[in-house]
């Protein structure tokens, strides 16, 4: 039988904070309102109903997710302080710089939550109808076909590095201080390409302001059913998603992890929750904690290799 958890302290009544509940459930290592902030707030209420307690989401942004992740890594392993971890906090950033925690040793994976694919979008003026055309242009003009990103080491930057490595071509990375200014310059035709998250790419593709060349997920998305995957476009084994999952500090008792996994799985498999997440451009995911832990280790190996091959530094 799965254990019950004692009630979490509610933010609605005064209490003296203790180290066991210094951050809430879960900690989001991003500012409020972003794509990484939506899934936990969408899921939190339903999870709280199953746990019989208030679920408090706290944003601890900064240092490229390191501040929030480090806070959870050093928290008491009692099931109260969890991390809404992402591909950045658990796989990419630790490969690029000293983040103050070990993404694999300091956490135990609890459950996947969702994954948002990227869309390789192009300004309509670019004479390319598909990924093959882009790669042909890159081979003819090494290092001159540019793609915008939210900054060095971000997921949409490394999506381009992985494509270049997989296809053995040279692309020109054009970094910005965030996705919004990068997307604005692609819309303005100043940079021809960008790997943009499905949620923000969709309205620009539907309006004709950008054209979608490929999605980076393993399978096509029902939101853009006529757009092929990068794999279908000739890039074998290519897959890039902005994935989210729940992690607990290392040492959290196995029965607590099992209880949280079971409740998160039930919440994520509910039809209304799946519908809501898909409306946000995310594909709901669930599964055993052990399997998710293996997936995260594989992702850490994959992105570590990309970072090393590209010679990226902070």
């Amino acid at each position: 039988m799965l254990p019950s958890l004692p009630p979490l302290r509610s933010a609605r009544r005064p209490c003296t904070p203790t180290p066991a509940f210094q951050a809430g459930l879960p900690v989001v290592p991003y500012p409020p309102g972003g794509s990484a902030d939506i899934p936990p707030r969408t899921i939190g209420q339903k999870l709280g109903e199953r746990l019989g307690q208030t679920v408090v989401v706290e944003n601890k942004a900064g240092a490229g997710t390191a501040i929030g992740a480090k806070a959870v890594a050093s928290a008491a392993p009692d099931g109260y302080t969890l991390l809404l971890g992402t591909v950045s906090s658990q796989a990419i950033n630790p490969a690029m710089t000293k983040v103050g925690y070990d993404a694999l040793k300091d956490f135990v994976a609890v459950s996947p939550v969702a994954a948002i694919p990227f869309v390789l979008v192009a300004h309509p003026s670019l004479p390319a109808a598909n990924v093959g055309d882009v790669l042909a242009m890159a081979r003819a003009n090494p290092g001159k076909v540019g793609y915008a990103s939210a900054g060095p080491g971000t997921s949409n930057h490394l999506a381009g590095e992985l494509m270049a490595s997989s296809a053995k071509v040279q692309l020109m990375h054009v970094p910005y201080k965030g996705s919004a200014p990068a997307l604005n310059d692609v819309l303005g035709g100043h940079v021809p390409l960008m790997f943009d998250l499905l949620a923000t790419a969709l309205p620009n593709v539907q309006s004709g302001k950008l054209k979608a060349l490929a999605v980076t997920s393993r399978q096509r998305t029902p939101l853009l059913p006529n757009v092929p995957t990068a794999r279908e476009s000739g890039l074998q084994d290519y897959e890039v998603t902005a994935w989210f999952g729940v992690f607990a500090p290392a040492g959290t008792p196995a029965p607590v992890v099992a209880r949280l996994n079971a409740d998160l799985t039930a919440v994520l498999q509910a039809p209304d929750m799946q519908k809501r997440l898909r409306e946000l451009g995310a594909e709901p995911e669930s599964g055993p904690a052990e399997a998710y832990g293996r997936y995260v280790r594989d992702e850490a190996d994959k992105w570590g290799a990309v970072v090393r091959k590209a010679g990226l530094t902070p």
Side-chain angles (χ1 to χ4, degrees):
M1 177 179 294
L2 294 175
S4 60
L5 296 175
L8 289 176
R9 296 180 176 85
S10 169
R12 297 176 182 175
R13 61 179 184 272
C15 65
T16 302
T18 68
F21 187 52
Q22 58 183 317
L25 186 149
V27 169
V28 177
Y30 293 94
S35 58
D37 191 48
I38 297 172
R41 296 188 184 278
T42 304
I43 294 163
Q45 181 179 355
K46 295 292 185 182
L47 179 60
E49 292 172 2
R50 290 190 62 86
L51 291 171
Q53 51 197 267
T54 301
V55 170
V56 180
V57 176
E58 180 169 341
N59 298 87
K60 281 185 175 290
T65 72
I67 290 178
K70 186 177 180 180
V72 177
S74 60
D78 52 16
Y80 288 106
T81 304
L82 305 177
L83 175 70
L84 195 285
T86 68
V87 62
S88 294
S89 66
Q90 308 306 116
I92 294 176
N93 292 344
M96 288 189 61
T97 186
K98 294 180 180 179
V99 290
Y101 60 89
D102 188 309
L104 299 180
K105 294 181 180 179
D106 292 344
F107 296 94
V108 57
V110 174
S111 173
V113 171
I116 303 177
F118 289 88
V119 184
L120 177 58
V121 293
H123 189 268
S125 64
L126 185 72
N130 50 51
V131 170
D133 290 345
V134 170
L135 298 180
M137 293 172 62
R139 291 188 180 99
N141 304 276
K144 295 182 179 179
V145 177
Y147 71 99
S149 85
T154 55
S155 295
N156 49 9
H157 169 207
L158 294 190
E161 294 287 355
L162 182 60
M163 177 172 284
S165 175
S166 299
K168 296 180 173 56
V169 300
Q170 288 181 300
L171 298 173
M172 180 174 65
H173 174 223
V174 185
Y176 289 80
K177 293 182 178 180
S179 289
L183 181 59
N184 283 339
D185 265 13
V186 177
L187 287 166
H190 304 296
V191 183
L193 297 165
M194 181 176 177
F195 291 87
D196 193 22
L197 284 172
L198 174 62
T200 49
L202 190 60
N204 290 312
V205 171
Q206 291 174 332
S207 67
K209 293 179 180 178
L210 295 174
K211 54 185 177 181
L213 306 183
V215 293
T216 64
S217 48
R218 185 178 294 267
Q219 298 177 331
R220 294 192 185 196
T221 170
L223 296 178
L224 291 172
N226 296 323
V227 178
T229 66
R231 289 177 175 228
E232 291 178 278
S233 305
L235 293 176
Q236 188 177 8
D237 298 328
Y238 186 93
E239 182 180 3
V240 181
T241 62
W243 51 258
F244 310 88
V246 174
F247 297 82
T252 300
V256 173
V257 172
R259 169 67 193 276
L260 290 168
N261 176 271
D263 285 328
L264 279 164
T265 297
V267 168
L268 289 162
Q269 290 182 349
D272 60 336
M273 185 59 64
Q274 297 217 346
K275 180 176 182 292
R276 174 59 177 149
L277 288 172
R278 288 190 174 111
E279 288 173 347
L280 297 170
E283 184 62 30
E285 296 185 340
S286 59
E290 296 82 2
Y292 189 50
R294 291 193 294 271
Y295 171 77
V296 172
R297 286 192 292 273
D298 289 345
E299 283 283 282
D301 290 342
K302 178 175 89 173
W303 292 116
V306 172
V307 167
R308 290 190 296 273
K309 188 168 184 178
L312 301 181
T313 56

